[in-house]
Amino acid sequence: MATGNLNLLRNAFSKLRIDHVFTRSLQRPRYRPPYWYAPKESATSDEFLTQENKQFIEEVMQDKMQLQNSLQSPLVNIDQNETPTWNPQTRRVGLIARKIGNYPLWTKDGKKVLTTLLQVVDNHVIKYIPPEEFNPMKTSSVQWKEKRKLGCMLVGSETIDPSTVTREYCGLFSNAGMLPKRHLFRFMVSPESYISPGTPLYATHFRVGDYIDVRAKTMDRGFQGVMKRWGFKGMPASHGVTKTHRRPGNIGSGGEKARVWPGTKMPGHMGNRWRMLRGVKILRINTQHNVIWTLGVAIPGETGATCYLFDTVLPLKKHSSSPPFPTQPLVDDLPLEYFDESIQRFDERSITYEEV
Amino acid sequence: MALAIRRSSSEVFGAAKWFIRRDCRVLSTVPERAEEKPVTPKRERQAVSRVRASARNPNLGLRHAYPEFLPDPNPKWRNSLREKLERSDMLKRRSQIDIPEFYVGSILAVTIADPHAQGKTNRFVGICIERKGCGLRAEFTLRNVVDHQGVEVRYDLYDPTVQSIQVLRLEKRLDDKLLYLRDALPEYSTFSFDMDPEILPEGTPVPVNPVQVKLKPRPWLERWERQELKGVANIEEHLKEKDRVRRELRATPWEKYDLMKQYRKTIPIEDQNDIWAEVNHQLRQLQLTRKTSARKRTFTTPKPQLG
């Protein structure tokens, strides 16, 4: 009894530290999530879940899925004459896609081109915030005086089990009558390209032959040396070189500049950064599986990486005519596949060259 | 006690599962590896069961004839939807052109559309020395000696500029890559361009040509002595004592027991079953239509060839 009291007393005294002074840091926090952000992961344990409860949850989820699938796209009720027309200054919403691999296609003149396949999985508009109400977190000290012109549109993709995420995160989607999605992304759109929440987006949002910008995270390569990270040449393998085959060599000069200059290329972490690839051409679209074939293999990330697709901003590759605006509604009699006119279909006859 | 029994029974079950999986794994070996069957008296029972398993599942025979339908086993590159789309594209191309069954060592004649050739087509005859790639990337290499000069042409199997692929002699060789023909005497890779196709009677298994080539003296393009080649006759003549010692040092005899390595190189049998079930019917249909059209073609009179 006495020893217990003594221990309590000792603990109380040990907390009374006089050498420790709290100071408020002047540095502002670097990242403050936007107000609509809700923590996503929920740490639940299955300890108290009985088999019946699990089944009940399954049933509820099935019902909700059916409800979501039976939801009619809000685009159906919109009168075509009332919708604003597209002009080159408008910004449309983009898509969230998943990179699913590469394979070659052939052009009509017999050239082999490698393509990247992007699958648009289950994209829905979740929320729209008009420009007047949109007040994002301030990331830089520069304050923009001009009025905001772009609204914010939240798009989600890939429905997940609601029991794996927090209630707040589910709440974001319930207004649109949706189940929670794995990915949620913000697109800045002009107000005339408003789409009401709950509208599904398909791969046909883009057309064949269009150019898009793709934003994704590059492959994570970890801590890399200077040869892999910056393409330095290294030093010779022989001729008396010892222990400096892959090292950077000199990183500065003497005199006034006797220090390492900012921005010097050095070893460090490589990859896992957001990168935008601009001006990627769409060669083929599958409307059944919502797959987009894009030219080239330079889209960042591994197979299975998430990427965001936008209309390109490159002035020479922008849309010349109106794309599906605000988006392509679901039409039953769409052809299964669209091909760019330069691409040879696999069920066409073999390529022959005419004698001139 | 009951717990102990349950545990032991689960162990037995696990062991059985492991054994079954290992047994099936052999069936899903890469086509090159699958040919070699270590038939020792101790393993006879296992070999028999293997034969039975492949007899039970006729689809598995297709993995040698159409190896490119199996995707790359690297899990980083696999995606079921992409593989499905790729397979449907391959079948679409196969409906346009007859891509026959052939193996490394078969002699093929390939006609392609070529904008720079006279008559806009180019025909090449040669022995297939290598076949690789999965899906639409599948490719093969033909080798021939033309005017005392070795020529090799690499073709994409699904390239739409290919006009026709004809098998002139259907056979296999002792090795799964014949790259050593580059260092062999030229007569082993010389084939005349006006070779007639040799037709095997229906139902015969693909013959294996047991020919052993003679290599030219060194220098060689690769260290052939380290590759355990069966189709080379005179490799020992050209070796020095030093090379034999190095070969012993570099040998990796344990690799054939490396189950994990084998696993990473192959597609599991469950996946293969799905793939072949999807593809098999269409492939059979294509074969049937080809056969009927070929029968019709035999009655047409051949045109006299010019030049």
Side-chain angles (χ1 to χ4, degrees):
Chain A
M1 186 68 193
T3 50
N5 284 342
L6 265 179
N7 275 340
L8 278 178
L9 206 69
R10 206 192 66 193
N11 284 343
F13 274 120
S14 67
K15 278 175 191 164
L16 286 175
R17 289 172 60 191
I18 48 167
D19 56 332
H20 192 78
V21 185
F22 285 100
T23 49
R24 171 162 280 185
S25 166
L26 284 176
Q27 206 178 15
R28 282 168 195 279
R30 274 207 175 157
Y31 175 71
R32 183 158 50 87
Y35 77 94
W36 46 262
Y37 175 83
K40 190 167 144 193
E41 302 291 320
S42 79
T44 52
S45 64
D46 288 349
E47 274 179 57
F48 306 110
L49 261 185
T50 61
Q51 196 63 33
E52 289 167 16
N53 287 358
K54 267 185 197 168
Q55 280 177 1
F56 177 70
I57 290 176
E58 285 270 303
E59 273 176 33
V60 171
M61 204 185 138
Q62 290 290 335
D63 290 348
K64 286 202 169 177
M65 273 299 269
Q66 278 180 1
L67 254 179
Q68 181 178 320
N69 292 339
S70 63
L71 265 183
Q72 209 181 17
S73 169
L75 284 185
V76 177
N77 307 326
I78 292 174
D79 190 13
Q80 283 297 321
N81 302 328
E82 280 180 24
T83 51
T85 50
W86 179 87
N87 65 347
Q89 274 72 44
T90 44
R91 275 172 78 166
R92 295 193 306 156
V93 72
L95 296 178
I96 304 175
R98 195 174 259 274
K99 179 173 164 179
I100 59 171
N102 311 102
Y103 69 68
L105 297 179
W106 279 266
T107 59
K108 287 232 160 107
D109 49 357
K111 211 182 134 199
K112 184 182 177 183
V113 289
L114 273 173
T115 56
T116 306
L117 280 77
L118 304 171
Q119 191 193 4
V120 179
V121 197
D122 193 20
N123 277 19
H124 281 91
V125 176
I126 301 300
K127 191 173 185 177
Y128 175 73
I129 306 160
E132 309 84 56
E133 292 168 29
F134 182 57
N135 187 20
M137 67 163 185
K138 295 181 179 76
T139 48
S140 65
S141 55
V142 182
Q143 302 280 330
W144 294 96
K145 289 279 160 46
E146 62 185 285
K147 227 175 115 186
R148 275 183 191 284
K149 287 175 190 162
L150 296 177
C152 167
M153 194 169 273
L154 295 189
V155 175
S157 92
E158 293 183 44
T159 308
I160 48 171
D161 183 1
S163 64
T164 58
V165 290
T166 57
R167 205 172 154 184
E168 293 82 22
Y169 188 73
C170 288
L172 287 173
F173 299 88
S174 57
N175 288 343
M178 298 269 128
L179 285 172
K181 306 262 186 184
R182 179 165 289 132
H183 306 293
L184 190 62
F185 190 72
R186 177 180 84 176
F187 289 96
M188 302 307 293
V189 297
S190 40
E192 58 266 31
S193 57
Y194 164 77
I195 309 172
S196 49
T199 313
L201 303 176
Y202 302 106
T204 42
H205 183 69
F206 297 112
R207 291 168 304 177
V208 161
D210 281 352
Y211 290 89
I212 53 172
D213 292 347
V214 183
R215 186 175 148 88
K217 259 190 172 183
T218 56
M219 276 189 205
D220 193 357
R221 292 174 199 275
F223 193 97
Q224 289 300 332
V226 108
M227 281 178 74
K228 185 160 189 162
R229 196 177 180 213
W230 298 110
F232 282 17
K233 209 169 179 180
M235 266 166 266
S238 62
H239 292 280
V241 179
T242 54
K243 301 183 188 173
T244 56
H245 303 293
R246 299 182 63 89
R247 300 180 75 177
N250 188 15
I251 54 168
S253 54
E256 287 286 300
K257 296 171 277 184
R259 60 192 173 96
V260 180
W261 280 63
T264 305
K265 289 173 179 174
M266 295 233 245
H269 193 104
M270 182 179 173
N272 201 24
R273 296 211 166 86
W274 287 105
R275 286 289 177 268
M276 181 89 102
L277 182 69
R278 295 198 190 275
V280 190
K281 194 181 182 188
I282 295 177
L283 299 179
R284 177 179 169 187
I285 288 175
N286 184 315
T287 53
Q288 190 194 353
H289 298 291
N290 284 304
V291 179
I292 299 175
W293 278 255
T294 55
L295 178 65
V297 287
I299 285 174
E302 295 148 331
T303 301
T306 313
C307 40
Y308 305 107
L309 318 181
F310 311 86
D311 289 329
T312 190
V313 295
L314 297 182
L316 295 179
K317 291 182 174 176
K318 273 186 168 181
H319 294 295
S320 49
S321 61
S322 170
F325 189 76
T327 183
Q328 169 77 35
L330 179 63
V331 186
D332 288 333
D333 53 346
L334 276 183
L336 181 64
E337 291 203 320
Y338 289 101
F339 280 82
D340 190 53
E341 66 259 25
S342 67
I343 293 296
Q344 166 88 7
R345 295 170 187 237
F346 285 100
D347 48 3
E348 275 175 351
R349 297 194 61 184
S350 304
I351 297 169
T352 48
Y353 299 103
E354 295 290 311
E355 288 208 54
V356 190
Chain B
M1 186 62 203
L3 206 134
I5 288 171
R6 195 186 294 166
R7 204 172 152 208
S8 65
S9 66
S10 76
E11 267 170 10
V12 168
F13 183 66
K17 229 164 81 177
W18 175 81
F19 179 75
I20 288 165
R21 225 178 259 166
R22 210 191 75 179
D23 206 27
C24 293
R25 174 76 44 205
V26 179
L27 282 172
S28 69
T29 43
V30 273
E32 301 92 342
R33 283 294 180 84
E35 299 315 318
E36 47 191 37
K37 252 190 229 167
V39 184
T40 50
K42 272 183 192 174
R43 284 196 164 188
E44 213 173 65
R45 257 183 90 184
Q46 217 181 353
V48 167
S49 74
R50 250 181 252 165
V51 170
R52 262 185 220 149
S54 62
R56 240 180 283 136
N57 195 342
N59 290 343
L60 284 178
L62 293 175
R63 72 189 192 278
H64 306 306
Y66 307 103
E68 74 274 3
F69 277 98
L70 294 181
D72 196 301
N74 188 345
K76 279 187 179 174
W77 300 335
R78 292 203 59 186
N79 180 289
S80 56
L81 177 64
R82 197 216 69 235
E83 285 160 17
K84 208 175 161 186
L85 290 168
E86 202 167 1
R87 281 197 293 272
S88 77
D89 281 346
M90 287 155 78
L91 287 171
K92 275 179 195 163
R93 178 67 193 146
R94 274 177 182 270
S95 70
Q96 290 300 315
I97 179 188
D98 179 19
I99 300 178
E101 172 188 351
F102 69 96
Y103 301 90
V104 169
S106 303
I107 296 159
L108 308 180
V110 177
T111 313
I112 57 161
D114 183 356
H116 310 295
Q118 213 172 20
K120 303 292 174 192
T121 56
N122 183 359
R123 183 170 180 270
F124 188 77
V125 174
I127 182 168
C128 176
I129 61 166
E130 195 182 21
R131 190 174 178 182
K132 62 179 183 184
C134 309
L136 288 168
R137 298 159 186 258
E139 64 185 48
F140 61 97
T141 310
L142 296 189
R143 178 179 169 84
N144 202 342
V145 175
V146 184
D147 295 343
H148 310 292
Q149 172 71 52
V151 183
E152 283 180 15
V153 186
R154 190 190 69 84
Y155 293 101
D156 283 314
L157 204 54
Y158 291 92
D159 190 343
T161 56
V162 172
Q163 306 292 311
S164 77
I165 301 175
Q166 195 186 12
V167 181
L168 300 181
R169 187 188 294 158
L170 183 67
E171 64 182 16
K172 294 177 188 172
R173 289 290 191 92
L174 297 172
D175 297 299
D176 30 87
K177 274 178 190 172
L178 302 182
L179 298 180
Y180 55 77
L181 288 181
R182 294 167 177 171
D183 280 328
L185 294 174
E187 60 257 33
Y188 291 106
S189 39
T190 312
F191 302 95
S192 76
F193 272 62
D194 49 2
M195 214 172 127
D196 288 325
E198 297 168 11
I199 296 164
L200 287 173
E202 206 164 306
T204 48
V206 182
V208 180
N209 189 350
V211 70
Q212 289 196 315
V213 303
K214 281 187 177 161
L215 293 188
K216 287 188 282 192
R218 287 176 141 187
W220 292 334
L221 289 165
E222 285 176 45
R223 292 182 173 116
W224 304 118
E225 76 273 11
R226 291 187 190 174
Q227 297 184 10
E228 294 175 9
L229 300 172
K230 291 172 203 150
V232 183
N234 63 341
I235 209 155
E236 295 295 327
E237 307 175 357
H238 301 298
L239 296 187
K240 293 175 189 163
E241 192 51 41
K242 185 183 77 178
D243 301 321
R244 293 196 184 96
V245 172
R246 301 302 290 175
R247 176 171 64 183
E248 290 307 310
L249 282 175
R250 293 284 174 151
T252 51
W254 57 84
E255 271 190 3
K256 58 187 168 192
Y257 305 112
D258 193 344
L259 290 179
M260 209 52 222
K261 193 169 183 184
Q262 210 179 9
Y263 177 80
R264 289 199 200 102
K265 272 188 173 177
T266 52
I267 302 287
I269 195 149
E270 301 84 23
D271 294 10
Q272 280 200 42
N273 279 335
D274 295 347
I275 293 169
W276 294 124
E278 183 192 317
V279 171
N280 189 12
H281 176 68
Q282 293 190 53
L283 280 177
R284 287 275 152 80
Q285 286 293 321
L286 282 176
Q287 269 181 357
L288 279 177
T289 50
R290 290 276 138 69
K291 258 181 205 167
T292 47
S293 62
R295 235 174 265 146
K296 274 175 206 161
R297 222 178 289 147
T298 48
F299 293 109
T300 55
T301 48
K303 282 176 192 171
Q305 283 189 348
L306 298 172

